[in-house]
Amino acid sequence: VSIPDSSFCNDLTYNENNQILINEISPLGFSFSDYTAIDAGEHNITAKLKYGYMWEDTSIDPVIFNCEILLPTVIVSYDSKGGTSCDPKTVVYKEKYGDLCTTTQLGYTFSSWKDSGKNVITSTSIVENDKNHTLDANWNANIYTVKYHGNGATSGSTASSTHTYDVAKNLTANKYTKSKFKFIGWNT
């Protein structure tokens, strides 16, 4: 009986749960006996084949193969939802996303990237989608405080007001007074 060569590794496949599937890897006189789990970072497994015709013979040493499973690459696109554009990036299925695009938008603060299932995706998130996909930007509108200055007023005060970017809201009514002058409006 000849000892199988490293082409044995080509017969290892995995399912969507990253479990090894054994597909007809028992050449004449050999049986698959053991493997170690996939290391999530390196995708290596150690597979052992026992060889010989007497499977009950525990004195037979296994043949050991170290196999590397190459996981598929995926293209991730970005929908910045009004922010600055981002170039697509290539990631590896079942590995971390790594650095994600930095995007900006006038009047808004970036909140997060989300996938189509509305899951927040960060640089340390694991790529669970084995197909090309798009991440959507999520934004929070900035909130501003407007402070009012009397510009030479002789009495009164006007309380500050808060405003959300791109949301219409009236300014606070003037409570300042100035002798011999009539208030006509606010200036910046």
Side-chain angles (χ1 to χ4, degrees):
V1 175
S2 62
I3 297 173
D5 60 25
S6 62
S7 65
F8 162 79
C9 293
N10 298 334
D11 295 321
L12 296 177
T13 57
Y14 61 96
N15 66 15
E16 65 277 357
N17 296 320
N18 232 13
Q19 297 168 326
I20 299 298
L21 302 175
I22 308 305
N23 297 327
E24 301 174 19
I25 63 165
S26 298
L28 181 64
F30 291 79
S31 76
F32 181 76
S33 66
D34 193 14
Y35 69 90
T36 59
I38 294 176
D39 180 298
E42 298 175 9
H43 309 293
N44 290 323
I45 74 161
T46 299
K48 297 177 184 176
L49 279 180
K50 286 188 178 178
Y51 59 96
Y53 293 103
M54 302 295 293
W55 307 123
E56 295 79 21
D57 186 350
T58 57
S59 67
I60 298 174
D61 291 328
V63 177
I64 298 174
F65 297 95
N66 288 312
C67 306
E68 181 179 4
I69 296 175
L70 300 176
L71 297 176
T73 57
V74 177
I75 296 174
V76 175
S77 299
Y78 299 96
D79 182 346
S80 61
K81 303 288 185 189
T84 54
S85 64
C86 297
D87 293 329
K89 75 175 286 183
T90 301
V91 296
V92 178
Y93 176 61
K94 294 293 184 184
E95 289 191 358
K96 294 177 183 177
Y97 275 88
D99 292 338
L100 298 173
C101 175
T102 301
T103 182
T104 59
Q105 184 175 181
L106 180 66
Y108 292 86
T109 300
F110 179 79
S111 170
S112 64
W113 290 108
K114 290 188 179 180
D115 63 15
S116 61
K118 304 299 181 199
N119 300 302
V120 172
I121 302 297
T122 67
S123 61
T124 60
S125 298
I126 301 298
V127 179
E128 298 293 345
N129 188 342
D130 64 352
K131 305 283 188 277
N132 296 342
H133 56 279
T134 300
L135 299 179
D136 295 323
N138 289 270
W139 300 96
N140 293 322
N142 292 338
I143 297 175
Y144 301 94
T145 299
V146 176
K147 294 183 178 181
Y148 302 93
H149 183 270
N151 196 19
T154 54
S155 65
S157 66
T158 301
S160 298
S161 58
T162 58
H163 299 266
T164 303
Y165 184 81
D166 221 15
V167 175
K169 180 180 176 183
N170 291 332
L171 297 173
T172 303
N174 176 43
K175 301 288 185 190
Y176 289 111
T177 59
K178 186 173 182 180
S179 299
K180 301 181 184 178
F181 286 87
K182 179 180 178 185
F183 178 78
I184 58 172
W186 295 113
N187 271 329
T188 56

